[in-house]
Amino acid sequence: MPVEPDSPEHGPSTAAVHAGEPRRRAHDAITPAIVHSATYPFEDTAALIDFQEGRVEREEYGRYGNPTIRAAEAKLAALESPQGEAAALLCPSGMSAITTTILAMVPSGGHIILTDDCYRRTRQFVQTLLARLGVEHTVVPAGDYAALAGAVRPGQTRLIISESPTNPYLRVADLPQVVAIARQHRVKTLIDATFATPYNLRPLDHGIDLVVHSCTKYMGGHNDLLAGVVIGKPGIVGALRQAQGILGGICDPHSAYLLIRGVKTFALRMERHNSSGMAVARFLESHPRVARVHYPGLPSHPDHAVAVAQMRGFGGVVSFEIEGGLDDTARFIDRLRIPYIAPSLGGVESLVEQPALMSFYELTSEQRMAVGMRDNLVRLSCGIEDIDDLIADLKQAL
Ligand SMILES: *Cc1c(COP(=O)(O)O)cnc(C)c1O
């Protein structure tokens, strides 16, 4: 029996396995079908007219919908909003979800506010391509709600964008404060909750309008697909779907299937990511070769109280600063045996990176400092390996 997505008594693991599964199972299979079809033929002209008049619901053309993608969307929407009030739009990457959403929602001459500790490509999109289209923006420091309120331009500001937790300092937005400021000026809110996932944080429950995830990370969870999703009220998501049909960024059905498969174990994986992240953060904070640890589960984190109030757990990403400079930090990373040196996060394999040499390589030390990217910063994404092995590896490398 498929579990009703609107049954609030079901926990996140039950929902991850059962929610959004199609009622009518193709070929009686337990798994959703991977439908590789570019177009969906009509039996005759009468069938076409029935579809055009909205008398039957069916697929038409691959850019406007696909059954495998719809199954993934239903599951992701149910996880984000167990009351069944949300709709989801699947996109071919997290960036596609972000750019489609912003392009659809902000007119030329409009204004966007975003927080400074922010995924680099989101910031670049706003600062370069959107600026060219006449969209203005203000960057405010994460956690400064007076600056956020002060940045709103009544009538011109359309969207407040924040991540929670942010990358890489894991700042946690006080969502009720963000919502209060936005509602006062009828501004829409968008939270990129990739680092939290719906297991740890459900921004829609706090009154946020739209949530974005890079499903490439925890939701897929196996470092084997790229996808993104935007979730919110059906009316707004319907408008975003229209925009996607025009912009043309569509997830492929095979990735949508891999995502459905990955999501089934998502709550189970998140339990491990949460407990390993916490254990690694505590270990690092107690180590003399580590100057500073950024993890919202630690009382030393500036947003610890907000995080405890809003989140179930704090995820598998731990950012920390090594005692020393660029080269000492690189030496530490090279001594690690378990984590791969790679961008990305949230998969079963632990990944480690030095942001100064990965995402911010082409900048000078001074430019990196200006965007808050210290040379000795390490971002570790704890996978699902045994925690004793991860800590032993960190210990020997330090
Ligand atoms: C990775 C990531 C993105 C971009 O997602 P892609 O799937 O790589 O396009 C956006 N936001 C955050 C916070 C991310 O970590």
Side-chain angles (χ1 to χ4, degrees):
M1 271 299 286
V3 169
E4 296 291 334
D6 51 356
S7 323
E9 69 268 25
H10 290 117
S13 233
T14 310
V17 173
H18 293 289
E21 295 284 309
R23 300 292 149 81
R24 259 182 296 133
R25 294 179 171 266
H27 315 292
D28 301 318
I30 193 165
T31 53
I34 308 175
V35 181
H36 276 291
S37 194
T39 190
Y40 298 83
F42 293 87
E43 204 171 312
D44 53 25
T45 301
L48 170 63
I49 301 298
D50 279 345
F51 169 74
Q52 299 287 26
E53 291 292 326
R55 288 191 287 266
V56 288
E57 251 183 69
R58 49 156 289 161
E59 304 299 351
E60 177 192 11
Y61 180 66
R63 191 160 16 81
Y64 308 134
N66 168 288
T68 316
I69 290 173
R70 287 188 203 278
E73 288 173 341
K75 193 180 278 296
L76 293 167
L79 284 171
E80 200 66 55
S81 172
Q83 299 80 27
E85 289 160 356
L89 178 71
L90 193 66
C91 298
S93 68
M95 277 317 298
S96 173
I98 291 166
T99 57
T100 301
T101 301
I102 298 176
L103 280 172
M105 291 186 67
V106 183
S108 180
H111 174 249
I112 292 178
I113 302 171
L114 61 166
T115 50
D116 60 352
D117 194 21
C118 168
Y119 189 69
R120 188 165 175 228
R121 302 301 175 194
T122 303
R123 192 204 317 241
Q124 279 182 335
F125 174 66
V126 170
Q127 290 179 336
T128 60
L129 295 172
L130 266 196
R132 238 165 53 194
L133 300 178
V135 175
E136 297 176 20
H137 69 272
T138 306
V139 178
V140 299
D144 187 342
Y145 301 97
L148 179 64
V152 176
R153 302 180 192 167
Q156 193 194 359
T157 306
R158 297 303 180 102
L159 198 57
I160 295 173
I161 306 174
S162 177
E163 289 167 29
S164 195
T166 62
N167 176 32
Y169 291 109
L170 306 171
R171 299 298 307 265
V172 180
D174 187 337
L175 299 181
Q177 285 218 55
V178 174
V179 168
I181 293 165
R183 287 204 175 146
Q184 207 183 333
H185 301 282
R186 298 166 167 272
V187 176
K188 294 276 188 246
T189 46
L190 167 67
I191 295 290
D192 180 340
T194 297
F195 277 56
T197 80
Y199 187 80
N200 284 334
L201 178 71
R202 291 213 307 258
L204 301 182
D205 290 354
H206 296 276
I208 293 293
D209 294 300
L210 290 167
V211 181
V212 160
H213 296 286
S214 166
C215 301
T216 313
K217 317 292 170 51
Y218 290 110
M219 303 308 291
H222 294 73
N223 290 319
D224 59 359
L225 66 89
L226 281 114
V229 70
V230 51
I231 303 169
K233 288 209 177 74
I236 308 183
V237 172
L240 300 180
R241 194 178 293 285
Q242 296 285 325
Q244 185 187 55
I246 297 168
L247 291 167
I250 301 296
C251 190
D252 79 281
H254 193 252
S255 291
Y257 176 80
L258 285 175
L259 176 57
I260 292 168
R261 180 180 155 119
V263 166
K264 297 227 175 197
T265 56
F266 140 80
L268 207 55
R269 288 185 282 104
M270 288 314 295
E271 276 174 39
R272 176 63 73 90
H273 288 302
N274 283 346
S275 65
S276 292
M278 195 69 229
V280 161
R282 285 205 180 108
F283 163 75
L284 290 169
E285 197 166 52
S286 70
H287 200 285
R289 299 288 319 269
V290 176
R292 205 167 154 203
V293 182
H294 308 269
Y295 189 72
L298 294 176
S300 58
H301 190 277
D303 302 321
H304 180 64
V306 177
V308 167
Q310 286 181 14
M311 300 177 75
R312 187 202 299 261
F314 313 104
V317 175
V318 184
S319 296
F320 54 101
E321 293 165 47
I322 297 290
E323 284 290 359
L326 193 73
D327 296 337
D328 306 290
T329 308
R331 258 197 305 282
F332 159 73
I333 285 184
D334 285 337
R335 285 183 66 100
L336 288 170
R337 294 188 190 121
I338 293 176
Y340 292 99
I341 302 172
S344 203
L345 61 108
V348 291
E349 296 93 356
S350 289
L351 301 179
V352 68
E353 65 162 290
Q354 189 172 357
L357 298 183
M358 185 73 75
S359 318
F360 295 84
Y361 184 72
E362 75 276 16
L363 305 190
T364 64
S365 255
E366 291 70 40
Q367 287 169 327
R368 287 198 288 263
M369 278 308 287
V371 290
M373 225 42 67
R374 300 188 185 94
D375 283 346
N376 62 342
L377 184 71
V378 177
R379 193 185 77 183
L380 173 66
S381 168
C382 300
I384 61 165
E385 300 93 342
D386 293 288
I387 185 60
D388 292 347
D389 294 336
L390 280 180
I391 287 183
D393 192 27
L394 289 164
K395 200 180 259 176
Q396 65 78 24
L398 284 165

